[in-house]
Amino acid sequence: MKKIFYLAVKDMKIRLKYKFVWINMALTPFFIIGPYVFSSRIVEVNSLAESVMIGALLWYWLNQYFFGVGDGFTEEREEGALISVILSPVSLLAFLLSKSVDTFLMNLYITFFTLIFFNLSGVKLEIHLLFFLLLIISGVYITFFSIFFAALSLWKKKIGSINSTTQFFFGILSGMVNPVEHFPHYIRFISYAIPLTYLISIGRNIMKNENGSNFISQLLILTALSFAYLIFGIWLLRKAENEIRRKGEWETW
Amino acid sequence: MRRVVEVTNIKKSFGKLRVLDKVDFYVKEGDFKVIIGENGSGKSTLLKIMVGLLLPDEGEVNVLGIDVKKQWKKLSAKIGVVLANERSLYWKLTAWENLDIFGGIYGVPKKERRKRMKELLERFGLFEYKDKPVEDFSTGMRKKLMVCKALIHNPKILFVDEILNGLDPSSTREMVEYLSELNEKGLTVVMISHVLHILPESADVALLRNGQIQMEVKYKDIRSKRREIYEVFEKLIKVGEVDEKDILFSREGYEDKA
C-alpha cells in the first residue's frame, strides 16, 4: 500500500508542476460532454438531459482511467522513468493501482467543476449519497477494466494506439446517450460485456430515485464482470512481464 | 568470501543474434568487478540478466541466494541499479523529490530516508541544488543523482551501467572515488565501463568477448605494466589478448590466484 501511496504522490507532484493543466481539466469535460447534454434539451425534457449527463460523465470517467491507467505504462515508458519503477520492488499491478488512485482524485476534481458548470447552465443533477457511492464504485470497477486494457497494451504495444477509439467505442455501446435496449441484439451482446453499461444504468436508476432493488442485480453482474476483467488483466500482466523480460523491451514503445 | 552473484552457463539470443554463449561469471562479496568489452558485446545484456530485467534463454542466475529468473522483485529490494539512461529519473521533480519518492517506494522509513538523502546529496555536491527540477540538471549532475537514487535503500550490491560516460574528468574521479569508498566499506560493485584509465586499484576486470567472459584480470596488474593503459585495453578488447608483459594472468590463472 505504501508503494502505491508514494507513486500516487509522485503523479500528483508532477501534475502540480503544470498549473494550466488544472484549468484544462476543470473546463474540458464540460465542453466535451456539453454538446451531448445540450442536444438532449431540444426536446425540453429535463430528465433526458440529466440522463445523458450521467451517461456522459461516467463515460468521461472511463476516458480518464483509460488514459491514466490504461496508458500508464506507455506514458512513463516514453518519459523513460518506467524502468526505475520496474527495477524497484513495485509490481506492475501496484504501479497501475497507483495510477488509478491519481485518476480517481482527478476525476473527483473534474466532476466537481463539471457539475458546477452544468448547474450554471440550467442542467441540475440531484446529488446525494448514492451518487457518490456510484462514483466510488465506478472508480474501482473501471480501474479493473483499465488494468485489463493496460495489460493488453503492454502485451501487444500496438493496442495502445487505439486507446482513444476504444473509449468512443465503449461510450456509444454502453448507452452513454442512447439506452442499450434500443440497440440491435448483436450490439447489445457487446454492450453487456462493458462494465460502463451497468454503471450508467445504475446511475440513471439512482437519478430517478428508484428503489435499490431495481439495480441490485445490475450491481452484481457489474461486480462479477469487473472481477473477471481484473483476474484476466492480472494474468495478462504476468504474461506480458515475462514476454518483455524475454525480449528485453522495457525501454521500447 | 561467499559468491553473491553466480551466473552459470547463460545463453541469450535476440532473434538470430547470439549475444551471450555459455557465460559463467561470478562476483564475490566485497568485489569491485568491472565488465569491459566492445560495443554490442553483450555487457548490458549480462547486467540486465543479473538484475532480472532480462530472462536468459538458458542457464541459471543467482544473486544473494535468490533465483533471479523467478524472484526478481524480491531481489530488487536488496540491490541498487544504475542504468545508462538519464531519463530514468522523473525530470519534472526536484532531486529531493526524486529521492524521497524512490526511498518511499523501497520502504526506507521517513526519518532514515531524509537523513540518507541529505548525506547522499551532500556527498555528490548536489545538496544546494536539491530543490531544482532534474530537467535543469547537467548530464553529470543527473548521473550523480542516479547513483544517489540507487543507493537510497542501502543495497548490498550496486550494478552500474556506463555511469562514467559523459562525465568531466573531475566528476569521473569523484564518482570512481565514491564507488571505491563504498566498496571499501563493504558494498559489492558490478560495473560496466568504457572509461578504464581511472578504475580503483582493487577492481577486477572481466572481458566479455564473442559472447563469453574470455578473461579476468586484476586491474592493478594491467595498470602497472609498461604501456599506456588505453593502448593495453584497446588491444585487450579488440583482440581478446595482450602481450604477456602487459598482463599477469589468464582467466584460469586469475581464478587460481583468487
Side-chain angles (χ1 to χ4, degrees), chain A residues 3 6-7 10 17-18 76 79-81 83-90 241 245-246 248 250-251, chain B residues 12 52-55 68-69 72-73 76 83 85 87-88 90 92 97 101-102 104-106 113 149:
Chain A
K3 290 167 192 158
Y6 282 109
L7 285 171
K10 176 265 297 173
K17 311 274 176 181
Y18 297 93
E76 296 219 4
E79 283 174 10
I83 194 73
S84 292
V85 179
I86 297 298
L87 279 166
S88 77
V90 175
E241 180 178 310
R245 286 180 74 200
R246 259 194 299 276
W250 289 113
E251 291 170 287
Chain B
K12 184 69 190 174
L53 274 179
L54 256 181
L55 280 170
V68 183
K69 287 198 291 184
W72 71 306
K73 283 289 169 183
S76 65
L83 295 179
N85 171 18
R87 278 271 171 191
S88 58
Y90 288 102
K92 279 286 165 197
E97 286 169 334
I101 296 291
F102 281 104
I105 289 173
Y106 278 90
R113 186 164 81 232
K149 187 199 77 170

Side-chain angles (χ1 to χ4, degrees), chain A residues 43-116:
Chain A
V43 293
E44 295 183 354
V45 178
N46 269 344
S47 63
L48 178 62
E50 288 163 18
S51 177
V52 170
M53 193 168 109
I54 283 274
L57 197 60
L58 288 170
W59 169 67
Y60 203 83
W61 272 58
L62 177 134
N63 286 3
Q64 294 307 299
Y65 276 101
F66 265 57
F67 282 131
V69 181
D71 253 359
F73 290 122
T74 314
E75 191 194 346
E76 296 219 4
R77 247 181 184 176
E78 286 171 3
E79 283 174 10
L82 179 67
I83 194 73
S84 292
V85 179
I86 297 298
L87 279 166
S88 77
V90 175
S91 68
L92 298 185
L93 182 63
F95 173 77
L96 290 179
L97 289 175
S98 76
K99 292 281 175 192
S100 144
V101 172
D102 173 61
T103 308
F104 182 74
L105 296 174
M106 285 307 97
N107 274 348
L108 287 182
Y109 172 85
I110 285 168
T111 306
F112 175 74
F113 281 100
T114 308
L115 290 177
I116 287 179

Side-chain angles (χ1 to χ4, degrees), chain B residues 7 59 76 100 103 132 138 157 163 182 191 199 207 221 228 258:
Chain B
V7 171
S76 65
D100 197 29
K132 275 193 173 297
S138 67
I157 308 176
I163 192 73
L182 288 170
M191 183 163 92
L199 298 177
L207 170 68
D221 292 335
E228 286 297 319

